[in-house]
Amino acid sequence: MNDCPAHPSAGGDSPARPAADATSAGGSPGTAPDGTGGTGGSASGHRAAEAGPDADPGAVTEPGAAPAAEAGAAPDAAPALFTWEFATDPYPAYAWLRAHSPVHRTTLPSGVEAWLVTRYEDARQALADARLSKDPAHHAGPSDAKGRTGIPGERKAELTTHLLNIDPPDHTRLRRLVSKAFTPRRVAAFAPRVQELTDRLIDGFADRGQADLIHDFAFPLPIYAICDLLGVPEEDQDDFRDWAGMMIRHGGGPRGGVARSVKKMRGYLAELIHRKRENPGDDLISDLIRASDHGEHLTENEAAAMAFILLFAGFETTVNLIGNGVYALLCHPEQRERLQRSLAAGESGLLATGIEELLRYDGPVELATWRYATVPLTLGGEEIGAGDPVLVVLAAADRDPERFPDPDRLDLARSDNQHLGYGHGIHYCLGAPLARLEGQTALATLLGRLPDLRLAVEPGELRRRGGLIMRGLRTLPVEFGPGRPPAEGDTPSTL
């Protein structure tokens, strides 16, 4: 199978047919109950979704829907958002929004109205603006609309008191309690375990000559890693893998499959917290319990919610980083070969800058999680009303030509790459050091052990998972010749 063409936004041909998939309501914090890859439109003209609380927010329009408009189109030719084509390649639509409506009022597929922020400078401002709260209580929408934001099932399971739903001072307190688990020193100490997991997973398919890199590799790696950090016993980790899989690819109702998995996970975490209280270990859940027992005022619900969100937030971002990153390298063979040469020479610099570029170019998080205006404010020339939801489009900001020269070009050596892939401000992704470690280890080891890795299908056959917040492939079938066994020092450390 030949290498895939360049990404459509970067000048290559578009896939032969749309490739979005929307059987999932997502699997990350905020992954979209209210916007999962469905039909949608702006409040300024194109058709809004007719989606009630029982409608499937993961449905996308069939092939043949109006494609997104290219940048430079007439200002009244607003692009169609949340269509099948949009899910496949949203970047032309985002280019149009940056040029003509950078802070854009839209109706999401579920019927919830929100503002989309697409320019880099506006995005940085919004991500750090204390007037934009993370607390869903500030949402001014009707009660049924409030039920279509956040993670399905988190309210009923009493798992809402986590870092993505709270503001200072509670946010400051809870983040301080868990931040020590993700310091560069602690993450670096975890590197051998990540390498061990990476090699074990590759060993499982290296002799087959083919694999689905999402199912066989990108998905299980971060699940097992975060379970180790949390202190989930090895015999229980496959259950966590099953629940996490349901969260990102459930085939039930629009939210029911995710909600059921959340309920099961909540029950397990409550039991595990009790067990850890009796027999603490050297793990994050035990650390949270010790903090609670020594005056930090961490309730059991807060401890369960923190463990839940660290698991929930800690895996799909890395799944998508690995999946999108490998796909981008397969689509850009000159960049992939450049990285392979650098790794073969024992260098680490290009791997480090390359991960940042992959995060910028087609990152795992398309939109930052929900924010709500606590007071009327002006953003990008638009008046935002108190209680209005605001969604910062990280994928659009990271392709802003005002900030990144030639932004649609993949350049693994790109310097001055202050992308927003992991956010900005006090809500900057706590697990970013671990995700970078996992991404670097995964890419370096794959390219080293399977040097002739190639797509096993035509690019047009690949399918995107539905989801408003996350951006990732449902499958990534690859082929390769006989690989080599793991060797000591395969992955240069950059941490």
Side-chain angles (χ1 to χ4, degrees), residues 123-132 371 424-426:
R124 276 180 60 92
Q125 176 188 333
L127 291 172
D129 195 327
R131 297 172 298 174
L132 292 174
R371 285 166 169 77
H424 173 67
I426 65 170

Side-chain angles (χ1 to χ4, degrees), residues 41-48 78:
S42 73
S44 60
H46 49 285
R47 183 176 64 85

Side-chain angles (χ1 to χ4, degrees), residues 272-292:
L272 184 60
I273 288 170
H274 286 298
R275 286 158 49 191
K276 294 285 185 181
R277 181 165 276 123
E278 296 295 325
N279 296 288
D282 183 20
D283 55 72
L284 184 52
I285 290 181
S286 296
D287 288 346
L288 293 175
I289 293 169
R290 291 187 190 99
S292 180

Side-chain angles (χ1 to χ4, degrees), residues 41-90:
S42 73
S44 60
H46 49 285
R47 183 176 64 85
E50 298 175 357
D54 297 323
D56 183 356
V60 295
T61 55
E62 293 300 324
E70 295 286 348
D76 60 348
L81 304 179
F82 315 119
T83 65
W84 185 273
E85 286 84 356
F86 175 85
T88 303
D89 180 15

Side-chain angles (χ1 to χ4, degrees), residues 9-308:
S9 300
D13 295 330
S14 297
R17 64 179 178 83
D21 178 85
T23 61
S24 164
S28 67
T31 297
D34 49 348
T36 348
T39 56
S42 73
S44 60
H46 49 285
R47 183 176 64 85
E50 298 175 357
D54 297 323
D56 183 356
V60 295
T61 55
E62 293 300 324
E70 295 286 348
D76 60 348
L81 304 179
F82 315 119
T83 65
W84 185 273
E85 286 84 356
F86 175 85
T88 303
D89 180 15
Y91 295 105
Y94 290 150
W96 191 97
L97 291 177
R98 282 195 308 267
H100 303 296
S101 185
V103 178
H104 185 72
R105 180 84 168 185
T106 190
T107 301
L108 300 172
S110 61
V112 175
E113 292 190 0
W115 294 92
L116 302 181
V117 181
T118 56
R119 285 180 180 168
Y120 183 88
E121 287 303 323
D122 294 335
R124 276 180 60 92
Q125 176 188 333
L127 291 172
D129 195 327
R131 297 172 298 174
L132 292 174
S133 169
K134 298 291 291 175
D135 187 345
H138 290 290
H139 186 188
S143 58
D144 66 322
K146 293 181 181 180
R148 286 174 270 150
T149 63
I151 302 170
E154 66 177 0
R155 290 176 176 82
K156 289 184 179 180
E158 298 182 325
L159 290 170
T160 57
T161 52
H162 55 69
L163 292 174
L164 295 180
N165 282 347
I166 57 176
D167 303 316
D170 284 338
H171 176 271
T172 307
R173 174 176 62 92
L174 293 181
R175 187 175 176 107
R176 183 179 67 249
L177 291 175
V178 298
S179 60
K180 60 184 177 181
F182 298 99
T183 62
R185 176 178 294 181
R186 186 156 183 175
V187 170
F190 196 56
R193 176 58 174 161
V194 173
Q195 184 67 62
E196 178 187 349
L197 289 169
T198 300
D199 281 319
R200 188 179 77 189
L201 291 168
I202 294 176
D203 288 343
F205 58 78
D207 293 337
R208 300 203 311 254
Q210 59 183 8
D212 173 6
L213 284 186
I214 302 299
H215 180 269
D216 296 327
F217 185 65
F219 180 75
L221 175 59
I223 283 288
Y224 294 140
I226 198 68
C227 280
D228 280 357
L229 280 178
L230 288 172
V232 177
E234 188 172 350
E235 62 267 21
D236 296 339
Q237 292 185 7
D238 284 339
D239 288 336
F240 266 75
R241 177 175 175 172
D242 291 342
W243 295 330
M246 181 63 72
M247 289 175 185
I248 69 171
R249 59 176 184 269
H250 73 88
R255 294 166 69 84
V258 176
R260 285 190 293 273
S261 292
V262 169
K263 183 178 180 180
K264 291 178 181 178
M265 191 175 290
R266 174 64 174 91
Y268 175 84
L269 288 172
E271 176 189 347
L272 184 60
I273 288 170
H274 286 298
R275 286 158 49 191
K276 294 285 185 181
R277 181 165 276 123
E278 296 295 325
N279 296 288
D282 183 20
D283 55 72
L284 184 52
I285 290 181
S286 296
D287 288 346
L288 293 175
I289 293 169
R290 291 187 190 99
S292 180
D293 291 343
H294 290 83
E296 290 284 359
H297 307 295
L298 187 70
T299 69
E300 183 172 300
N301 277 346
E302 286 176 334
M306 287 297 299
F308 165 72

